[in-house]
């Protein structure tokens, strides 16, 4: 599509209106998108055909001391993301501390459970049997576990093994 003959003039006039704070068609933001809407031209007219006018617009925005709205939004977003990262890092540290506490409590409860089982079984807690005898509860429990008849079970020693991929 060829540019309209008055396209450059419309862009210049729109640039003046936006910088004066009196936009007619756009929201008045100091962006190329707002300038394109104000000039009633496609955005690519500024980014591809009239890059000199785009650069002139940005130069005038910087010269008047204004920061483009896009940059303001991006800086605000960066600040928000940095805050979020800081908060998430604090949460990770807190959760890691919680894990250590839970592990310590789990160990304490496991030892307490072992002592209680020893008291119930009548064995002293400082004696550990090396092998379960034929009448012990471990041998009974082992013999009551149903066994899988399939030879291709995941734990079977005869199950074919996968060969590792090389890559």
């Amino acid at each position: 599509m060829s540019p309209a003959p008055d396209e450059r003039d419309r862009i210049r006039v729109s640039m003046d209106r936006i910088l004066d704070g009196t936009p007619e068609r756009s929201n008045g933001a100091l962006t190329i998108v707002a300038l394109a809407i104000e000039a009633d031209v496609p955005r690519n007219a500024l980014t591809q055909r009239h890059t000199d006018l785009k650069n002139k617009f940005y130069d005038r925005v910087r010269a008047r001391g204004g920061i483009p709205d896009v940059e303001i939004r991006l800086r605000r977003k960066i600040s928000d993301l940095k805050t979020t990262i800081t908060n998430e890092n604090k949460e990770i540290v807190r959760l890691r501390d919680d894990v250590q506490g839970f592990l310590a409590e789990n160990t304490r409860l496991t030892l307490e459970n072992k002592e209680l089982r020893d008291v119930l079984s009548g064995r002293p807690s400082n004696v550990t049997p090396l092998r379960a005898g034929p009448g012990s509860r471990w041998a009974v429990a082992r013999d009551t576990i149903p066994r899988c008849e399939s030879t291709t079970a995941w734990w079977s020693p005869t199950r074919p093994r996968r060969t590792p991929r090389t890559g």
Side-chain angles (χ1 to χ4, degrees):
M1 179 175 153
S2 63
D6 65 337
E7 193 172 72
R8 292 181 68 82
D9 293 332
R10 283 189 290 157
I11 293 171
R12 285 190 191 101
V13 170
S14 299
M15 195 181 312
D16 293 335
R17 279 197 310 259
I18 287 178
L19 292 172
D20 292 340
T22 58
E24 295 176 359
R25 293 185 183 98
S26 70
N27 61 4
L30 302 175
T31 63
I32 292 299
V33 174
L35 179 60
I37 292 170
E38 188 69 27
D40 195 27
V41 297
R43 185 179 61 86
N44 72 344
L46 290 164
T47 60
Q48 295 175 7
R49 288 194 298 259
H50 306 295
T51 56
D52 59 325
L53 293 176
K54 175 189 79 162
N55 293 336
K56 184 177 179 182
F57 176 71
Y58 278 140
D59 289 342
R60 287 181 63 187
V61 167
R62 282 189 208 94
R64 65 180 268 212
I67 299 172
D69 293 345
V70 173
E71 186 175 344
I72 292 171
R73 281 194 308 264
L74 288 175
R75 288 184 186 275
R76 189 176 306 127
K77 185 69 174 176
I78 288 170
S79 175
D80 292 344
L81 290 174
K82 284 182 179 180
T83 303
T84 301
I85 288 171
T86 302
N87 292 338
E88 295 297 325
N89 286 338
K90 288 177 184 176
E91 179 73 9
I92 288 170
V93 168
R94 189 188 63 76
L95 290 173
R96 285 185 178 155
D97 290 343
D98 287 350
V99 166
Q100 293 302 318
F102 290 140
L103 287 174
E105 183 65 14
N106 185 28
T107 302
R108 188 190 67 76
L109 290 172
T110 301
L111 292 173
E112 182 181 330
N113 191 18
K114 182 184 179 306
E115 289 175 6
L116 291 173
R117 286 181 187 222
D118 288 342
V119 167
L120 286 175
S121 69
R123 285 192 314 235
S125 62
N126 61 353
V127 175
T128 305
L130 296 177
R131 186 177 305 168
S136 72
R137 63 182 175 161
W138 302 112
V140 173
R142 184 186 62 229
D143 294 337
T144 59
I145 296 173
R147 298 199 180 270
C148 181
E149 299 300 324
S150 170
T151 58
T152 59
W154 67 270
W155 52 266
S156 172
T158 60
R159 183 176 143 255
R161 303 284 183 227
R162 282 187 174 166
T163 57
R165 289 186 180 173
T166 57

